[in-house]
Amino acid sequence: MIDRIMREIPRFFSASNVDFLIEAAGRTLLLSVAGCTIGFLLGLLLVVIRRTSHPALLPLRTLAIGYTEVFRRIPFLVILFLVLFAIQAVAPRASLFTIALIGVCIVSTAFLSEIIRAGFESVPRQQVDAAEVMNFSYLQILFLVVAPQAWRVILPPAFAFMVMFIKDTALASQMGVVELTFAGKVLSNKGFSATLTFGAILLAYFILSYPLTRLGRYLEHKLGSSRN
Amino acid sequence: MAHLEIDNLCASYGNTPVLKGISLDVEKSEVVSLIGPSGSGKSTLLRALVGVTKPTEGTVRIGETTVDYRSAASLRSVRDSMAIVFQQYNLFQNMTVMDNVTIAPIKIKKWNKAEVRKHAAELLERVGLSAKHNAYPDELSGGQQQRVAIARALCLRPQLLLLDEVTSALDPELVGEVLDTIRDLARDGMTMLIVSHEMGFVREVSSRIVMMDKGAVVEKGPPAQIFDAPEQERTRDFTARILSH
């Protein structure tokens, strides 16, 4: 097997194959980064809605809670297919990549929202009371007092989720998006050794996720050594 | 005209009434202390005044204005005129001492930043913490944190200062430094409504004392009356028990 792999390596890393792999890695990266960034922002928005207390906003709160609870319970792949068929029904010309991007954002929003909510709730109620009696507005309480104390609690699970999430984007291959896993299948179908092909794919996933792990550790360390 | 006038104030936690028609008033520059056993509603009264616990009935008047705790604007204005210091200090853990003291005047009241910082520095000097401007709350002792909390409240230039058992969470040897700070404020004519279990201090610093029990006022009067010649049995019981240990 080693002989075969050694023989295939020059051909496997031909310019066209490398371009193909880089392009696929780019799609995986884009799905992950966009999924995490958009998911984080929308997740934060859901938490901002959930923490309100005005009676008039009850429908919005219910919607936010319902969203988080539902989409954390449906398998990722099922959501991708749901999104695929729903979008193709209304916009048949939408690109598979766009559809996959929407699908991953739906999932990451639900999970990151829950992580952010738990972090915000770890800040003692008295901190909010103190800010309230000094006339801080709802958003000022959230972003000047609660969030700065919550990041320490939020970051470790958020980064763990994001690293997992990079790998989960492989599911987009099931709907035909040519990301890393799909590229592996294509190359392996071309006749290259599966060990060589998926070994290369594994390495690519590692290269994509390792910097994120390091960034997570750096931030945890930085916030951990400052204030609680 | 009383500075603060509370009439028949009621509040409840869920279905449990905790304030059953409290009436009292505080004149300008007066120090009024609330005493009474745990669960008598003293802290709830202070929390109700600043709208952390919503009153269910009764009226609160500050100067000429009647407060409507259901109106956001009215709540804002009552919170503008009063500052409260909590038993657990509740300093913002993510901010330095200086930021804790100046954030509300600068960011919420939009006062001039340089003037606020100058005022804050004076207040911190007054409570003996000039050297701690850049310290974080978790680097300070309980007594120091509580003095920062008092400076934070004063930096808002309140017309009325509410102190909620500000020494109860402190080690005995740290109580003195906080009480000294409050004595100082009383001498300067700060209007205060105080909840405290430090009977010696209460007797010395208060112009009037309000004895509360089970969410109601039992007796009101000058310290000499409450401690030496109480009119009510309940007051006599309470002061006798508290002073005996």
Side-chain angles (χ1 to χ4, degrees):
Chain A
M1 192 179 76
I2 301 288
D3 288 351
R4 183 181 160 203
I5 290 174
M6 296 308 284
R7 241 184 301 116
E8 282 180 0
I9 279 181
R11 210 156 43 83
F12 183 82
F13 288 105
S14 70
S16 68
N17 279 358
V18 168
D19 279 355
F20 179 62
L21 276 174
I22 287 178
E23 216 173 286
R27 281 197 196 95
T28 292
L29 185 66
L30 197 57
L31 279 179
S32 311
V33 170
C36 289
T37 314
I38 296 173
F40 193 87
L41 293 175
L42 291 180
L44 184 61
L45 180 67
L46 288 186
V47 176
V48 171
I49 293 171
R50 279 182 75 164
R51 285 181 63 104
T52 56
S53 56
H54 199 284
L57 295 176
L58 182 66
L60 271 181
R61 277 199 295 279
T62 314
L63 217 61
I65 295 170
Y67 178 93
T68 330
E69 292 306 310
V70 168
F71 286 104
R72 283 190 312 136
R73 278 167 177 73
I74 308 178
F76 201 157
L77 192 56
V78 174
I79 292 175
L80 287 180
F81 280 130
L82 268 175
V83 173
L84 175 66
F85 296 126
I87 292 184
Q88 281 187 335
V90 290
R93 303 176 68 85
S95 81
L96 284 178
F97 182 79
T98 313
I99 297 173
L101 189 59
I102 294 171
V104 298
C105 287
I106 287 178
V107 175
S108 60
T109 299
F111 277 92
L112 287 168
S113 177
E114 191 58 15
I115 291 171
I116 296 168
R117 184 194 63 80
F120 278 19
E121 258 164 40
S122 73
V123 177
R125 170 72 215 177
Q126 291 90 317
Q127 294 279 310
V128 176
D129 287 346
E132 249 171 24
V133 299
M134 293 197 287
N135 273 332
F136 282 56
S137 71
Y138 173 69
L139 289 178
Q140 283 170 326
I141 293 177
L142 226 45
F143 290 102
L144 295 176
V145 177
V146 176
Q149 298 182 58
W151 295 135
R152 254 174 31 132
V153 180
I154 291 172
L155 284 180
F159 273 93
F161 170 79
M162 288 176 188
V163 170
M164 221 173 58
F165 189 73
I166 294 180
K167 298 175 291 170
D168 285 348
T169 58
L171 290 170
S173 66
Q174 292 294 314
M175 45 185 274
V177 175
V178 189
E179 42 66 76
L180 271 174
T181 302
F182 196 98
K185 279 191 249 175
V186 170
L187 290 176
S188 142
N189 285 342
K190 273 187 180 172
F192 290 110
S193 144
T195 315
L196 174 61
T197 314
F198 286 102
I201 300 297
L202 179 147
L203 195 68
Y205 272 114
F206 182 81
I207 292 169
L208 288 183
S209 64
Y210 189 66
L212 193 63
T213 313
R214 293 304 306 227
L215 176 67
R217 243 182 248 152
Y218 167 77
L219 286 176
E220 275 167 42
H221 182 76
K222 203 170 162 227
L223 292 171
S225 64
S226 71
R227 301 295 122 205
N228 49 16
Chain B
M1 164 74 53
H3 191 51
L4 170 73
E5 226 179 310
I6 305 169
D7 186 31
N8 189 36
L9 197 72
C10 300
S12 33
Y13 288 129
N15 287 324
T16 319
V18 280
L19 294 181
K20 304 167 190 163
I22 304 285
S23 300
L24 65 90
D25 46 53
V26 182
E27 308 286 337
K28 200 160 176 47
S29 293
E30 201 184 17
V31 176
V32 174
S33 293
L34 304 171
I35 62 169
S38 298
S40 56
K42 310 176 300 284
S43 292
T44 308
L45 177 57
L46 297 194
R47 294 170 66 85
L49 285 175
V50 289
V52 177
T53 302
K54 295 276 179 288
T56 49
E57 243 180 90
T59 52
V60 173
R61 289 166 59 86
I62 297 165
E64 306 281 302
T65 334
T66 305
V67 183
D68 176 2
Y69 284 95
R70 282 157 306 176
S71 137
S74 180
L75 192 57
R76 238 194 324 278
S77 101
V78 75
R79 285 170 172 175
D80 262 338
S81 60
M82 295 179 192
I84 183 168
V85 180
F86 297 94
Q87 183 178 347
Q88 296 292 343
Y89 348 123
N90 298 5
L91 295 178
F92 301 128
Q93 299 292 315
N94 56 313
M95 297 176 202
T96 61
V97 164
M98 193 45 141
D99 288 343
N100 259 289
V101 177
T102 57
I103 183 162
I106 292 174
K107 290 235 160 132
I108 314 299
K109 297 201 175 212
K110 312 274 183 207
W111 289 343
N112 179 287
K113 195 173 169 178
E115 280 168 28
V116 170
R117 289 184 69 91
K118 188 166 159 276
H119 184 209
E122 288 163 12
L123 289 169
L124 287 170
E125 184 175 354
R126 181 167 176 187
V127 297
L129 289 170
S130 313
K132 299 288 186 186
H133 286 193
N134 298 315
Y136 282 88
D138 62 357
E139 295 167 334
L140 303 177
S141 72
Q144 290 173 327
Q145 290 193 53
Q146 195 57 291
R147 284 183 282 149
V148 174
I150 291 171
R152 177 170 76 171
L154 292 175
C155 202
L156 292 160
R157 300 184 186 277
Q159 299 167 36
L160 176 65
L161 185 62
L162 310 176
L163 303 174
D164 185 8
E165 297 193 33
V166 291
T167 57
S168 295
L170 301 177
D171 289 338
E173 68 266 32
L174 302 178
V175 169
E177 61 192 51
V178 173
L179 294 186
D180 284 343
T181 305
I182 302 170
R183 273 189 199 101
D184 212 34
L185 292 174
R187 252 195 311 275
D188 284 3
M190 185 79 202
T191 315
M192 289 188 276
L193 187 54
I194 299 177
V195 171
S196 180
H197 289 298
E198 304 287 338
M199 290 303 149
F201 167 74
V202 161
R203 178 174 191 152
E204 165 205 334
V205 83
S206 313
S207 28
R208 274 183 310 135
I209 292 177
V210 177
M211 164 77 194
M212 285 177 68
D213 190 27
K214 301 197 177 79
V217 171
V218 175
E219 183 171 354
K220 289 182 248 193
Q225 174 194 330
I226 299 291
F227 287 106
D228 302 332
E231 287 165 2
Q232 301 293 323
E233 188 68 34
R234 187 71 192 89
T235 313
R236 198 169 6 238
D237 277 359
F238 178 75
T239 49
R241 231 168 346 107
I242 270 228
L243 294 174
S244 67
H245 58 229

